[in-house]
Amino acid sequence: MAVSASSSGRSMPVRRLVQRLAGNLFSLVITLLGLLAFTFTLSHLSPVDPVLQLVGDHATASTYAQVRHQLGLDHSLPVQFWHYLQQLAQGHLGVSQSTGQPVADDLLRTFPATFELATCALILGATCGIGLALVSVWHPKSWIDHITRVISLLGYSVPVFWIGLLGLLLFYAGLHWSAGPGQLDDLYIYTLEPKTGLVIIDSWLSGDRQMFINALQHLWLPVVILGLLSMASITRLLRAALLEENSKEYVTLARAKGASRWRIVWHHLLPNTRGTLITVVMLSYVSLLEGAVLTESVFAWPGLGRYLTNALFASDMPAILGATLVIGSCFIIINALTDALVWLTDPRTR
């Protein structure tokens, strides 16, 4: 009986985790359907006529009607949305009116660039953000703490596109430390063999050392700018959580017993704030994947954000819906993963 009770007790957290994941999956589907329906409806309120975008202003009425029928725009809005969902269930996202290519192929081509940029920026932002938050807790209300707060405030308040333009002016046009917009110079961009879609990895695998260095020269400036945005949010929220935890009685007791500052941070503060840390870092990653639109536009970075921007200007409905689907899926999946990680690592949330 004791063994049976112990086995049942161990299976309870697993069962709860499975139920939690099933609930998150159901919420994922419902949220994506709502997001697609909202985007689909909003796009049809645009004053831009997608048919005229294709046929031009001087097309005949019969040509206009034929193209409108081919696009399915002669049906009611609910019927159009139902037809889109049917195509989506078959794995077909439509054909982009801007590029003339299947939207799925465009997304497979552009998303790795955004993933590469956002991941590198998160690594930089999380490393610096966590470090600054720990320094602020070690020296509260000191000049280091004040500088940390100013950096966080600047990262929050200064527009990212303005920092990008200023960075290009200073480090590209002035100091020549950066290679400028794009992922590679024209000398390499047409000779690189895409294997993973990530330019840093592909240039390294190519064996061309100069190509790899050129990729790094193109990458570091947008990474630093996006990393500043990520670092600001991580530092601000983690610093507040650590300071709140540092003021509790068990920390005062540990300090009275002679525990070192390092031991208090690593054995008391960080374990009790890891739920906050996981949430802040993962949500910062989501914001980087979503918020790289302006950075990609400034640096001519061929990622998902720039693709979505061009689709919006061209009223490219299939491309807009496809990009929205990818961004919404990333947001919901990372949120669900964050919820599961916090639930697994923090017993207080169970």
Side-chain angles (χ1 to χ4, degrees), residues 2-141:
V3 174
S4 177
S6 175
S7 176
S8 176
R10 287 194 300 267
S11 65
M12 284 297 292
V14 178
R15 190 180 304 123
R16 290 177 181 174
L17 179 60
V18 171
Q19 293 174 350
R20 197 179 188 92
L21 292 176
N24 287 335
L25 180 61
F26 178 75
S27 299
L28 168 65
V29 175
I30 297 299
T31 305
L32 283 179
L33 286 176
L35 179 63
L36 286 176
F38 177 77
T39 306
F40 196 88
T41 304
L42 192 64
S43 65
H44 281 73
L45 298 177
S46 172
V48 179
D49 191 342
V51 180
L52 290 179
Q53 292 284 102
L54 294 177
V55 301
D57 296 332
H58 303 289
T60 62
S62 59
T63 303
Y64 180 89
Q66 181 181 0
V67 174
R68 182 177 175 84
H69 175 72
Q70 291 175 352
L71 296 177
L73 297 177
D74 52 346
H75 298 290
S76 63
L77 189 61
V79 173
Q80 293 181 43
F81 185 63
W82 174 247
H83 289 166
Y84 177 78
L85 292 180
Q86 288 179 325
Q87 293 180 357
L88 185 62
Q90 299 173 0
H92 183 56
L93 298 178
V95 177
S96 172
Q97 301 168 9
S98 303
T99 64
Q101 301 293 324
V103 174
D105 293 345
D106 287 342
L107 295 177
L108 289 175
R109 175 177 51 84
T110 57
F111 182 74
T114 298
F115 176 79
E116 180 181 38
L117 184 61
T119 302
C120 294
L122 179 70
I123 294 173
L124 176 65
T127 303
C128 297
I130 294 173
L132 286 176
L134 290 176
V135 170
S136 295
V137 174
W138 286 341
H139 306 282
K141 298 182 179 180

